[in-house]
Amino acid sequence: MSETTQPLGRRERKKAATRQALADAALRLFLERGYDQVSIKDIAEAADVSTTTLFKHFPGKEALVFDADSDHEAALVAAVRERPDGRSVPAALRDHLLRCHLGTATDPAFARFRQLVTSTPALRDYGHRMWMRHETALAQAIAADAGAPANDPGCAALAHFTLEALALARGQDAPRAALNAAFDLLERGWQPPVRRAARTSEQGAE
């Protein structure tokens, strides 16, 4: 714990516990019954709170599935600010996405969660909107690291395509290969597939 971090008070601990109980109950019910078969009332009853209390913590049903959204933004910014010396920003962001967002793909619980999201249009669309909300914070972190203006278009583009790369990768049969291909493009620029294949063959012959 840092010197400036204060332990949560009793009220804050209780609020955090209630929020976590609601998120846990929602995910369990969604996985058991399917998203569309679970109501806000069902979730509130499972967490032993009122629907009024639920809405104090979450704006709607979709938000219950993406409770860690603010943590994701902080981690993206930290990937830029806390990367090792000599590591480029794109490389650090590639490492982060591979480790924290695709590295858990073989976890059965995570696989069930991803299946729930991808098979439910409301959750898929909401999740993408929530993910892309991190674009501004990530762009500003990249700009600050580069000593560029906060609204620098190049930094904004890198942030945008970094986030979209993950969405693209998750829709492919080989997500890790797809993510690596996207970041190869961000780091090295466009090379037509034929040219890439020729270069690979030349390197193999050396």
Side-chain angles (χ1 to χ4, degrees):
M1 182 180 297
S2 68
E3 294 180 1
T4 58
T5 301
Q6 299 297 323
L8 292 177
R10 185 169 180 270
R11 175 187 287 271
E12 287 72 22
R13 291 198 304 273
K14 185 175 181 181
K15 287 173 62 177
T18 299
R19 183 181 178 87
Q20 188 62 54
L22 284 163
D24 290 346
L27 183 57
R28 175 174 56 79
L29 291 175
F30 293 156
L31 291 173
E32 288 175 356
R33 306 180 192 175
Y35 178 80
D36 293 327
Q37 282 65 53
V38 178
S39 68
I40 286 291
K41 183 179 179 182
D42 292 334
I43 298 166
E45 288 180 350
D48 197 24
V49 301
S50 67
T51 55
T52 300
T53 297
L54 185 152
F55 282 119
K56 287 180 179 178
H57 292 274
F58 296 95
K61 198 164 77 164
E62 298 94 341
L64 285 149
V65 179
F66 299 95
D67 188 40
D69 186 65
S70 60
D71 295 337
H72 291 323
E73 183 168 295
L76 284 163
V77 170
V80 174
R81 293 177 177 171
E82 300 172 10
R83 70 187 191 282
D85 291 341
R87 195 70 170 156
S88 71
V89 169
L93 289 169
R94 181 203 302 241
D95 293 343
H96 171 70
L97 294 182
L98 285 171
R99 182 179 65 256
C100 298
H101 292 274
L102 292 184
T104 54
T106 57
D107 183 331
F110 184 78
R112 292 181 68 202
F113 169 77
R114 288 306 312 169
Q115 176 60 27
L116 171 69
V117 172
T118 56
S119 64
T120 309
L123 290 179
R124 187 171 61 245
D125 295 344
Y126 183 87
H128 185 259
R129 292 197 305 273
M130 292 292 284
W131 178 240
M132 294 307 296
R133 287 196 320 162
H134 308 320
E135 185 176 338
T136 298
L138 180 57
Q140 290 176 349
I142 294 170
D145 181 82
N151 62 348
D152 179 79
C155 297
L158 178 55
H160 178 83
F161 291 122
T162 290
L163 298 179
E164 285 288 10
L166 181 62
L168 170 69
R170 282 178 169 159
Q172 303 296 311
D173 292 335
R176 294 181 69 86
L179 189 72
N180 278 318
F183 273 93
D184 285 347
L185 176 62
L186 288 175
E187 290 197 77
R188 303 170 193 168
W190 169 247
Q191 293 181 32
V194 173
R195 187 180 301 169
R196 289 201 302 269
R199 174 176 290 186
T200 300
S201 297
E202 290 172 0
Q203 291 173 343
E206 291 177 357

